[in-house]
Amino acid sequence: MPDSRPHPSDGASADTTALLLCGARLTDGRIVDVRLSGGRIEAVGTAGSLTAAHSSRVDLGGFLLLPAPAEPHAHSDTALTADAAGPLTYGPEDVQRRATEAALLQLGHGATALRSHVRIGDVQGLDPLEGVLEAGRSLRGLAELTAVAVPRLLTGAAGADGLAMLRDAVKMGASVVGGCPDLDPDPAGYVEAVLEIAVEHGCHVDLHTDGGDPARLARLASMAGGLRPGVAIGPCAGLARLPHEVAVRAADLLAAAGVSVICLPQGGCAAVDQRGTAPVRLLRAAGVRVAAGSGALRDAANPVGRGDPLEAAFLLASQSGLRAGQAYEAVSAAAREAMGMPEVRVEAGFPAELLAVRGERIEGVLSLAYSRVVIHRGRVVARTSAVREYCDSAAAVALDLPRQGRPDPGP
């Protein structure tokens, strides 16, 4: 179901300052200048062809310019807690601090839009959601952080409170409803309740499922199909543990339902026995829209999570067999589509949500993406610069290589 509400990245409140990106390389090999204004790409021309009058300049010589990635599956309320001493606190102030720090970390990697799943109910009530929503407000102009309200139960007597709280969460500002139907005694009833609220309030839907039960997954897909394309499910790692023919039938059902699958190649956000990555090539072959997210960011579920979209793309290319361009698309165009956000291309008229990474080809960028320039709503919001230096002993070893019978490294 398309999201009719305006997105900040649509440019309504964008910075009006013009910015000229000079000498950037595109994925097709062209070297171009790109002029940004009003939060959008105003013009793209050959290097040196665009004027810089009344514009700030950014030299992107040696950088590959890409549509900015997005993070479709974060957990901001628990992020950065792996080393926390004592019980985890969920007060609004604590959650806001963690969510803000995590979002800035991910922004530095290039993600200018983030969707965070936030648990509501139990003893924490709506406090974690309040914290994440406040973090989103504090980040305006730097990144766009939206929240998915995730209740534990929605059916039976125990689920009545969760249902009421989910409605309150939407009124507070959660723009997506979701949760994990597999944990409810009545998974189909859980999904039905989520979809009902989504229709009432015009929300997108984002559901957690391991996907290890093909019958349950088929039921979920058939129920959610009526809301396409506003439904995402993930991480569906259990599909990779099914017999091939069973997984193929499940993929066909997901494709027919029109839902997006958000996989988590960096390790997921669940128990160790549910780790893994959905079979992305099988899903893509069936016609399923597949996006990739990071999942847990240094919390109990994944103490070493990085929250880097380029790492997710690297893993899709190195372990799941996608071509580098396909892997990057999963964390950029496909992720934005799954989040209901406008398409981004490095072409005039599109939103100025861009990532410049030092390198010449997408393959190299996914391997060694150290230096980055992040652009949100037409202005630079983050820079990462990496400088590699060798000590004297390393230089001596390099200079000694020819005498050891190894190839001369050249000048």
Side-chain angles (χ1 to χ4, degrees):
M1 175 174 49
D3 188 353
S4 60
R5 289 167 291 183
H7 291 279
S9 55
D10 289 344
S13 58
D15 194 314
T16 57
T17 303
L19 181 66
L20 184 64
L21 311 178
C22 303
R25 181 182 294 273
L26 302 184
T27 54
D28 61 9
R30 288 181 294 151
I31 308 296
V32 299
D33 290 347
V34 181
R35 187 166 58 229
L36 313 177
S37 181
R40 291 193 170 268
I41 299 173
E42 184 178 86
V44 178
T46 55
S49 67
L50 301 183
T51 60
H54 310 296
S55 300
S56 299
R57 295 172 58 100
V58 177
D59 182 9
L60 291 183
F63 281 77
L64 187 68
L65 188 62
L66 303 162
E71 175 50 71
H73 194 118
H75 287 271
S76 303
D77 54 337
T78 58
L80 308 176
T81 59
D83 298 327
L88 187 58
T89 56
Y90 285 97
E93 296 81 7
D94 292 329
V95 171
Q96 179 187 353
R97 174 182 51 79
R98 293 196 297 261
T100 302
E101 185 179 352
L104 291 174
L105 177 64
Q106 292 174 289
L107 173 64
H109 293 318
T112 62
L114 305 98
R115 174 184 283 186
S116 174
H117 295 255
V118 184
R119 291 180 292 185
I120 62 173
D122 299 324
V123 297
Q124 291 83 25
L126 291 169
D127 285 354
L129 178 63
E130 181 183 342
V132 171
L133 292 175
E134 188 57 40
R137 288 187 281 269
S138 70
L139 288 163
R140 282 177 180 164
L142 293 174
E144 184 174 351
L145 173 62
T146 57
V148 186
V150 179
R152 189 171 67 87
L153 298 174
L154 288 180
T155 68
D161 289 343
L163 195 58
M165 196 164 290
L166 184 56
R167 296 182 188 278
D168 289 341
V170 174
K171 294 175 184 176
M172 284 178 61
S175 57
V176 188
V177 290
C180 185
D182 297 349
L183 300 181
D184 194 285
D186 180 5
Y190 187 106
V191 174
E192 185 176 355
V194 168
L195 296 180
E196 180 180 343
I197 292 177
V199 170
E200 286 178 6
H201 296 276
C203 297
H204 280 235
V205 173
D206 198 328
L207 295 166
H208 283 63
T209 181
D210 178 53
D213 183 335
R216 183 176 295 175
L217 185 61
R219 175 66 171 159
L220 186 158
S222 64
M223 294 175 67
L227 283 181
R228 60 183 175 189
V231 178
I233 64 174
C236 295
L239 284 174
R241 299 190 292 270
L242 296 175
H244 178 75
E245 61 278 7
V246 177
V248 168
R249 288 196 296 270
D252 289 340
L253 290 170
L254 291 171
V259 302
S260 297
V261 170
I262 299 176
C263 66
L264 302 176
Q266 289 166 302
C269 54
V272 173
D273 61 349
Q274 293 181 332
R275 293 286 178 87
T277 304
V280 293
R281 292 181 65 187
L282 182 149
L283 290 167
R284 285 172 57 93
V288 179
R289 293 188 299 271
V290 179
S294 300
L297 174 57
R298 302 214 302 263
D299 65 13
N302 187 0
V304 295
R306 295 182 183 176
D308 185 351
L310 268 64
E311 183 187 41
F314 164 80
L315 292 171
L316 288 177
S318 64
Q319 297 185 9
S320 296
L322 296 190
R323 293 194 296 273
Q326 294 173 331
Y328 187 76
E329 181 184 10
V331 301
S332 54
R336 292 181 65 89
E337 181 182 7
M339 297 165 68
M341 304 191 72
E343 181 182 12
V344 174
R345 298 182 190 172
V346 188
E347 298 177 14
F350 284 87
E353 303 289 317
L354 302 168
L355 171 64
V357 187
R358 184 169 294 282
E360 296 185 351
R361 292 170 52 85
I362 191 69
E363 292 83 358
V365 160
L366 296 188
S367 299
L368 297 169
Y370 296 127
S371 298
R372 309 183 191 188
V373 179
V374 186
I375 295 168
H376 174 52
R377 299 194 213 174
R379 68 187 189 97
V380 175
V381 292
R383 292 176 185 263
T384 301
S385 298
V387 177
R388 177 176 291 163
E389 297 180 347
Y390 294 97
C391 64
D392 290 342
S393 59
V397 170
L399 292 173
D400 195 44
L401 283 174
R403 287 186 289 165
Q404 297 177 11
R406 296 174 183 167
D408 191 326

